[in-house]
Amino acid sequence: MSLKNIEELNAMHLDVLRELGNIGSGNAATSLSSFMNKEININVPDVKILGFNEVAEYVGGPEHIVMGLLIMLDADINGMILYILDEEFVKNVVEVFFGKEFTVFQDLDEMELSAFSEIGNIMASSYVNALSSMTGMTINISSPAITVDMAGAILSVPSAKFAEIGDKVLFIDDSFGVGINAEKVQSSMILVPEMDSLNKLFERLGVM
Amino acid sequence: MSTINIGISDLNIAKPPNILATYALGSCIGICLLDRTRSIGGLAHIMLPSSKEATKASDNPRRYADTGIAELIELMRRNGAITSALTAKIAGGAQMFKTSLETFNIGSRNITAVKKVLASYRIPILAEDTGLNYGRTLFFDVATGTMQIKSVVKGTENF
């Protein structure tokens, strides 16, 4: 049986994706930790299927200002990863990594933006490496494109690109703590695979 | 007075003193139509340029510039508006991410498509706030015809 859209995913599919999310997030925490030279804690990620409108609500509402990091996937899996980082996450990284006070979310300088671009790269690589090592599939990732703007406007990019697949996406919510005893900060990852790619993935893993 | 919120790939009409609103337009476009004489306004929030790109028969016609604008005009006509009296203001069509990938040019393709569709109905565009690289929230005051745009970059502007 092959899936026609993301809404057709069943509990077993979701479990597989959740487990991939777990491994990917664990890898991401380890790599981020060495990149930032800080201890990073991570909770078990929450994996859900959500509509784009629900995603916007989930990350604080369509007008809520967030950072978006967009990464394209190709080769055996085609699709897109979008990271949505909230202001607390960004503030935490700027303060811990650059050791300076975070002021205005919209006014990050080039150096800070390139650090976040690298963080997006690390998080996406970690996830994609987990996928590759479990499935033997080759997956290439693009370098991240970055913006800070309204969540709804950022989400219009994947929703327009993948409109024909449906308006549901795979939503993986991670909760990170940077440093010991740190407060948790949220990072949300949206994975929009093309359906052919997702079917190939489940086939490789023997999930039907 | 009430504010009528239009979601993505949706549309509606209103009479004064009501406000039509749509939040966080990125590459999507908000199309405000007004028959000032008959005091009927309409707003559509389209996501893609053409229904010819639709792969599913059951697809939502309000998602596309061509079928979305056609449906909005028809709804306004059924409520007393006259097509030849309509004027338009449009906003959105941003390129949210700087990337060289052609597939992300959806914002500018939307702008071109919306203008072409409006031209086919001979509806003049009185104002536009389109393109560039940031999100916009749109409020359309049907009484005055003012299109108010809020963005992170520019704050609030009236068109």
Side-chain angles (χ1 to χ4, degrees):
Chain A
M1 186 194 97
S2 90
L3 302 161
K4 287 182 194 65
N5 64 53
I6 287 181
E7 289 159 62
E8 292 178 3
L9 293 177
N10 62 28
M12 199 197 290
H13 295 129
L14 284 182
D15 277 345
V16 168
L17 294 168
R18 192 171 290 121
E19 185 51 24
L20 288 170
N22 257 333
I23 297 167
S25 300
N27 290 356
T30 310
S31 324
L32 278 181
S33 181
S34 63
F35 178 68
M36 292 176 66
N37 200 19
K38 288 277 170 191
E39 183 166 327
I40 302 216
N41 308 302
I42 190 160
N43 291 357
V44 175
D46 200 8
V47 180
K48 293 184 169 68
I49 304 291
L50 294 180
F52 281 106
N53 285 337
E54 292 171 298
V55 174
E57 289 306 325
Y58 212 89
V59 300
E63 288 194 290
H64 189 61
I65 309 299
V66 295
M67 176 182 282
L69 291 161
L70 183 77
I71 295 137
M72 295 305 293
L73 309 177
D74 67 18
D76 289 342
I77 293 203
N78 292 300
M80 182 189 280
I81 290 176
L82 175 68
Y83 285 102
I84 297 180
L85 308 181
D86 71 7
E87 187 165 0
E88 276 304 303
F89 186 106
V90 174
K91 178 174 185 284
N92 220 301
V93 170
V94 168
E95 286 176 354
V96 170
F97 190 65
F98 290 96
K100 67 182 191 187
E101 203 173 330
F102 173 84
T103 46
V104 184
F105 198 8
Q106 293 85 33
D107 284 341
L108 296 168
D109 63 30
E110 281 302 313
M111 182 100 92
E112 288 160 343
L113 286 176
S114 73
F116 282 103
S117 184
E118 184 53 26
I119 285 170
N121 195 28
I122 289 170
M123 294 196 295
S125 310
S126 307
Y127 194 83
V128 161
N129 288 343
L131 273 179
S132 290
S133 62
M134 284 174 80
T135 59
M137 294 168 109
T138 304
I139 308 160
N140 298 327
I141 65 171
S142 72
S143 62
I146 188 166
T147 192
V148 175
D149 210 312
M150 296 185 231
I154 289 173
L155 285 164
S156 74
V157 176
S159 65
K161 177 88 176 76
F162 294 101
E164 76 272 19
I165 297 172
D167 59 357
K168 300 271 197 259
V169 293
L170 198 65
F171 183 77
I172 301 167
D173 209 17
D174 280 322
S175 175
F176 286 98
V178 182
I180 306 162
N181 302 327
E183 278 182 47
K184 293 288 180 194
V185 288
Q186 293 297 124
S187 121
S188 304
M189 170 178 153
I190 290 159
L191 177 65
V192 201
E194 289 182 3
M195 287 321 293
D196 284 353
S197 302
L198 202 53
N199 282 319
K200 254 194 282 179
L201 172 74
F202 287 129
E203 203 175 298
R204 284 287 182 104
L205 293 170
V207 188
M208 286 302 161
Chain B
M1 186 199 90
S2 63
T3 300
I4 300 159
N5 182 20
I6 313 295
I8 300 165
S9 306
D10 204 358
L11 54 85
N12 212 336
I13 59 167
K15 296 194 169 186
N18 298 321
I19 309 278
L20 289 159
T22 195
Y23 295 94
L25 290 158
S27 56
C28 300
I29 301 202
I31 302 124
C32 308
L33 295 183
L34 181 67
D35 182 334
R36 192 181 283 279
T37 313
R38 288 152 207 91
S39 291
I40 300 167
L43 175 61
H45 180 146
I46 64 99
M47 188 197 272
L48 292 167
S50 169
S51 60
K52 294 178 183 73
E53 293 179 12
T55 48
K56 287 183 285 185
S58 63
D59 217 346
N60 177 5
R62 298 175 174 193
R63 179 179 278 166
Y64 306 97
D66 53 351
T67 44
I69 292 171
E71 189 178 334
L72 181 61
I73 292 171
E74 184 50 32
L75 183 63
M76 291 178 76
R77 268 166 37 84
R78 281 208 305 274
N79 284 273
I82 292 172
T83 310
S84 62
L86 294 176
T87 56
K89 294 186 180 181
I90 62 174
Q95 182 173 4
M96 296 303 298
F97 290 94
K98 272 193 209 119
T99 145
S100 53
L101 296 167
E102 186 59 30
T103 65
F104 289 104
N105 224 356
I106 193 79
S108 66
R109 286 175 55 216
N110 278 337
I111 297 168
T112 307
V114 164
K115 288 182 174 174
K116 203 172 141 194
V117 174
L118 290 172
S120 75
Y121 288 96
R122 299 179 192 282
I123 297 173
I125 299 171
L126 303 186
E128 64 175 296
D129 181 25
T130 55
L132 302 171
N133 62 348
Y134 55 87
R136 298 164 169 96
T137 282
L138 185 164
F139 297 98
F140 182 42
D141 184 340
V142 178
T144 61
T146 302
M147 176 178 78
Q148 185 181 74
I149 301 295
K150 275 175 33 183
S151 66
V152 174
V153 183
K154 294 193 174 163
T156 301
E157 287 184 296
N158 288 325
F159 293 88

